[in-house]
């Protein structure tokens, strides 16, 4: 099981146990302690995990708290609140994505361009995870980089991962625009810029989650 999927399962387990009126800072402490307890339970090397964030159970999360009428955006995710788009991109991704675009336009294959930028991605993670951007990984979450969106007096909410380049109010429309992107610009170097493109054998360039509901 990949680290991200394992972290997702742990987050789901934690969410089922916490009180509905919990605040975002309280949740951050709860989920951090919960994941850290799994590290200790499985006798993982905490010193190694401290130095190598790429080996932690890591995930982004977007959470709607109905009691507080808030959306908590922890990591790279996006949402629509009554047609207003909010996102929480990692600060380094656009710079590295632009580098990848230039490498491909200069003649490198997408696979080779990805290999060239991988050290940049790892270095950005080493320097920035829960310092310049927030994720859930069993270590103290950088709360300054969590985006909290108020939904007071709102009606329609869409929560999604960053696998949808053009988020819309229906799954059908979001999927349709994604399909057009994959057809016309599968390597994400023109109409949508990303650090990776469509890889052989995959259905899209990234995993995706989408939920729409009314309050």
């Amino acid at each position: 099981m990949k680290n991200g999927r394992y972290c997702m399962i742990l987050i789901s387990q934690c969410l089922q146990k916490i009180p509905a009126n919990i605040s975002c800072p309280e949740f951050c402490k709860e989920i951090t302690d919960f994941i850290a307890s799994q590290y200790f339970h499985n006798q993982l090397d905490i010193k190694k995990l401290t130095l190598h964030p790429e080996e932690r159970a890591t995930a982004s999360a977007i959470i709607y708290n109905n009691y507080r009428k808030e959306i908590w955006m922890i990591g790279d995710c996006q949402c629509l609140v009554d047609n207003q788009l909010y996102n929480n991109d990692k600060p380094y991704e656009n710079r590295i994505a632009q580098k990848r675009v230039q490498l491909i336009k200069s003649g490198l294959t997408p696979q080779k361009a990805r290999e060239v930028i991988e050290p940049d991605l790892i270095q950005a993670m080493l320097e920035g995870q829960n310092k310049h951007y927030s994720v859930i990984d069993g270590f103290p979450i950088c709360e300054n980089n969590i985006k909290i969106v108020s939904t007071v007096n709102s009606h329609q909410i869409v929560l999604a991962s960053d696998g949808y380049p053009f988020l819309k109010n229906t799954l059908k429309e979001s999927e349709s625009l994604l399909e057009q992107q994959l057809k016309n610009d599968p390597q994400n170097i023109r109409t949508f810029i990303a650090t990776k493109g469509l890889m052989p054998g995959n259905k899209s360039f990234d995993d995706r989650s989408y939920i729409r509901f009314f309050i």
Side-chain angles (χ1 to χ4, degrees):
M1 185 184 298
K2 292 186 177 180
N3 290 358
R5 180 168 179 78
Y6 180 56
C7 190
M8 176 273 292
I9 292 172
L10 295 179
I11 294 170
S12 178
Q13 292 174 354
C14 183
L15 284 171
Q16 295 177 53
K17 299 177 181 180
I18 58 178
N21 64 347
I22 195 169
S23 68
C24 185
E26 290 169 339
F27 168 74
C28 288
K29 185 178 187 310
E30 285 284 339
I31 189 60
T32 296
D33 291 346
F34 186 72
I35 293 175
S37 71
Q38 300 303 307
Y39 294 155
F40 285 105
H41 177 73
N42 290 288
Q43 298 182 332
L44 299 184
D45 186 341
I46 302 302
K47 184 179 293 186
K48 182 178 180 181
L49 292 176
T50 301
L51 297 174
H52 295 278
E54 72 276 13
E55 296 192 13
R56 302 173 192 167
T58 303
S60 298
I62 182 165
I63 299 168
Y64 171 66
N65 185 307
N66 189 54
Y67 179 88
R68 294 182 178 273
K69 294 294 186 290
E70 292 177 343
I71 297 171
W72 305 336
M73 305 177 74
I74 308 173
D76 47 357
C77 48
Q78 55 183 332
C79 66
L80 284 171
V81 180
D82 290 342
N83 297 313
Q84 177 66 48
L85 176 66
Y86 299 88
N87 54 43
N88 197 29
D89 298 331
K90 292 176 180 175
Y92 63 82
E93 283 209 337
N94 183 63
R95 171 179 56 82
I96 299 177
Q98 291 291 348
K99 178 178 178 178
R100 173 179 171 272
V101 169
Q102 295 306 315
L103 289 169
I104 293 174
K105 288 184 175 179
S106 69
L108 265 63
T109 64
Q111 179 179 351
K112 184 61 179 177
R114 176 69 182 185
E115 291 174 0
V116 171
I117 68 167
E118 279 179 351
D120 296 329
L121 292 169
I122 294 173
Q123 188 62 33
M125 182 185 299
L126 291 171
E127 294 177 354
Q129 185 157 313
N130 274 327
K131 297 173 184 175
H132 304 308
Y133 65 91
S134 301
V135 292
I136 296 172
D137 65 358
F139 285 74
I141 298 172
C142 179
E143 295 181 27
N144 290 339
N145 295 312
I146 295 174
K147 186 174 289 186
I148 299 178
V149 180
S150 173
T151 62
V152 175
N153 299 321
S154 301
H155 302 287
Q156 178 177 276
I157 294 175
V158 175
L159 308 180
S161 65
D162 61 347
Y164 287 101
F166 311 106
L167 188 61
K168 297 297 179 181
N169 280 320
T170 66
L171 177 61
K172 182 177 180 180
E173 188 176 6
S174 299
E175 286 280 346
S176 177
L177 291 173
L178 172 61
E179 184 178 352
Q180 292 178 38
Q181 174 65 25
L182 294 172
K183 179 181 178 181
N184 300 324
D185 181 22
Q187 288 304 317
N188 297 326
I189 60 173
R190 293 190 299 274
T191 53
F192 175 71
I193 307 300
T195 58
K196 56 187 173 183
L198 181 63
M199 298 177 63
N202 290 353
K203 294 182 178 180
S204 187
F205 69 94
D206 204 353
D207 59 282
R208 56 198 192 272
S209 300
Y210 182 107
I211 183 171
R212 176 176 62 134
F213 54 92
F214 298 89
I215 59 174

